[in-house]
Amino acid sequence: MDKKKVAVPLVCHGHSRPVVDLFYSPVTPDGFFLISASKDSTPMLRNGETGDWIGTFEGHKGAVWSSCLDSKALRAASASADFSAKLWDALTGDELHSFEHKHIVRACAFSEDTHLLLTGGVEKILRIYDLNRLDAAPREVGNSPGSIRTVAWLHSDQTILSSCTDTSGVRLWDLRSGEIVQTLETKSPVTSAEVSQDGRYITTADGSTVKFWDANHFGLVKSYEMPCNVESASLEPKHGNKFIAGGEDMWVHVFDFHTGQELGCNKGHHGPVHCVRFSPGGESYASGSEDGTIRIWQTVPVNNEENDPLPGNGPSGKVKAVAEEVTRKIESTLHIGRDVKIGERDKVKTNA
């Protein structure tokens, strides 16, 4: 097998248990941010560009399966095995509200207009909470055929999608009728579903297959077999010419969107890769693993030769030094105190 090589990643420590979900905010006036969910019950917020730790959201009493940020990165949400979904102030780290459920909550997502929060989990019920009326009862949408694994919004918040832990396919729900209007058929349960930044594609991972669907007409656009079972996949948002996938072989693979050819293979994790996501500008991508770490990889030209010294096929000494310095800073900060709450956004800009 050809060995392939990319830039040295930034390694982000801090979680004490597996990292199971990653979410990038859009670009904001303060930059962009990365939030991670972990079985250690504490979502963490980081500078999306450098990986610098900003703070930890404390309050859950069980594994956190999903976390996300609203479009301005002012609020965060998390879904947990403690039968709750929580809304957080992303500037201070304060808990704004806890939405109680009757069983494990596996997924959450802010609507595009940021006024609504969608949740789903083992109860097989999709719930939509009005964030302008936190104490109001949620709207319940249909009955899912299985325990809900992923949720997302599309079509300007008129449609939601969901996949199940134990049932194949992705279901599209029309919010006006509350009914399933389309099912995207897959052979295995879908473990990852992502709507592209431009709203054109839905990227899914099921078993050892990554599929791309037309988000408007729901036809299958591309389908590629992966070298192993993959748990997550993400499409490059700027050009849409490549995608990444991670799974049980502990590597993060980079593929050509148009041909399916493998362009690169990033090694470094010491356990299965549970989640991968591109940054909003496509200049980097992050992976989260069973080993408890997040790795941020730069999007650079890749190389098929194991020891090719040519420039452009790996990080320069300066870039590598900066990466190592950032990693040391993160480790130092986390060693001082992981329980420090998230500070003012001005501090974020100072420390980034």
Side-chain angles (χ1 to χ4, degrees):
M1 177 179 175
D2 289 342
K3 296 184 178 180
K4 302 179 182 182
K5 190 176 174 184
V6 296
V8 174
L10 299 172
V11 182
C12 306
H13 299 281
H15 285 297
S16 59
R17 296 201 64 203
V19 177
V20 293
D21 190 38
L22 293 170
F23 182 93
Y24 276 105
S25 76
V27 177
T28 75
D30 296 318
F32 61 93
F33 301 89
L34 175 65
I35 189 170
S36 54
S38 169
K39 291 183 181 179
D40 66 8
S41 81
T42 54
M44 288 187 179
L45 185 68
R46 298 178 185 276
N47 180 299
E49 183 176 5
T50 65
D52 280 333
W53 175 78
I54 295 171
T56 299
F57 298 99
E58 297 188 329
H60 279 298
K61 295 185 171 85
V64 175
W65 288 106
S66 176
S67 58
C68 58
L69 295 161
D70 68 15
S71 59
K72 296 181 180 178
L74 297 177
R75 293 176 298 181
S78 53
S80 174
D82 65 7
F83 296 14
S84 76
K86 292 185 184 293
L87 180 69
W88 309 86
D89 185 318
L91 299 180
T92 65
D94 293 332
E95 181 183 315
L96 299 177
H97 196 77
S98 183
F99 301 103
E100 299 305 316
H101 293 62
K102 295 178 182 178
H103 214 304
I104 294 168
V105 191
R106 288 294 304 261
C108 60
F110 284 103
S111 60
E112 187 179 326
D113 66 10
T114 74
H115 296 315
L116 305 172
L117 181 69
L118 171 65
T119 68
V122 177
E123 287 182 85
K124 305 180 183 180
I125 298 171
L126 292 163
R127 290 187 173 92
I128 300 174
Y129 294 90
D130 185 342
L131 299 183
N132 297 315
R133 298 186 303 141
L134 294 177
D135 293 322
R139 177 186 175 186
E140 296 185 356
V141 180
N143 289 315
S144 174
S147 174
I148 297 165
R149 173 73 179 260
T150 66
V151 297
W153 299 81
L154 62 164
H155 301 159
S156 300
D157 300 334
Q158 295 303 305
T159 308
I160 56 178
L161 68 77
S162 67
S163 71
C164 299
T165 303
D166 46 8
T167 306
S168 63
V170 173
R171 277 144 286 280
L172 285 303
W173 307 74
D174 186 328
L175 284 188
R176 291 165 292 189
S177 66
E179 300 294 328
I180 297 174
V181 294
Q182 186 77 31
T183 298
L184 309 181
E185 299 292 347
T186 62
K187 291 182 180 180
S188 305
V190 170
T191 52
S192 170
E194 174 192 72
V195 179
S196 64
Q197 193 168 280
D198 60 9
R200 291 181 60 194
Y201 298 110
I202 298 169
T203 304
T204 62
D206 72 285
S208 60
T209 307
V210 173
K211 293 182 173 69
F212 299 92
W213 310 82
D214 186 311
N216 295 303
H217 304 291
F218 307 125
L220 180 62
V221 179
K222 301 277 187 183
S223 179
Y224 297 119
E225 285 297 317
M226 299 288 101
C228 67
N229 283 339
V230 294
E231 196 167 336
S232 184
S234 182
L235 179 64
E236 196 276 333
K238 190 172 182 181
H239 304 291
N241 58 352
K242 61 172 71 83
F243 67 95
I244 52 175
E248 65 182 17
D249 68 357
M250 301 184 287
W251 301 343
V252 181
H253 300 269
V254 186
F255 298 94
D256 184 287
F257 170 76
H258 300 288
T259 67
Q261 178 186 358
E262 185 171 358
L263 303 175
C265 179
N266 301 315
K267 303 176 183 180
H269 281 298
H270 302 292
V273 175
H274 295 308
C275 45
V276 294
R277 283 294 178 264
F278 265 104
S279 66
E283 65 278 355
S284 62
Y285 47 94
S287 55
S289 169
E290 182 75 16
D291 65 16
T293 68
I294 300 164
R295 293 174 187 260
I296 299 177
W297 313 82
Q298 298 302 309
T299 305
V300 296
V302 296
N303 148 48
N304 289 336
E305 298 297 325
E306 175 68 7
N307 298 306
D308 187 26
L310 294 177
N313 289 329
S316 67
K318 181 177 180 181
V319 171
K320 185 175 181 180
V322 170
E324 291 173 347
E325 177 63 21
V326 169
T327 301
R328 281 196 295 272
K329 286 181 179 179
I330 294 170
E331 292 173 337
S332 175
T333 303
L334 292 170
H335 180 71
I336 292 171
R338 276 181 50 230
D339 58 347
V340 178
K341 283 194 173 182
I342 296 170
E344 299 294 335
R345 187 58 57 85
D346 288 340
K347 291 182 182 177
V348 173
K349 291 194 288 186
T350 301
N351 295 330

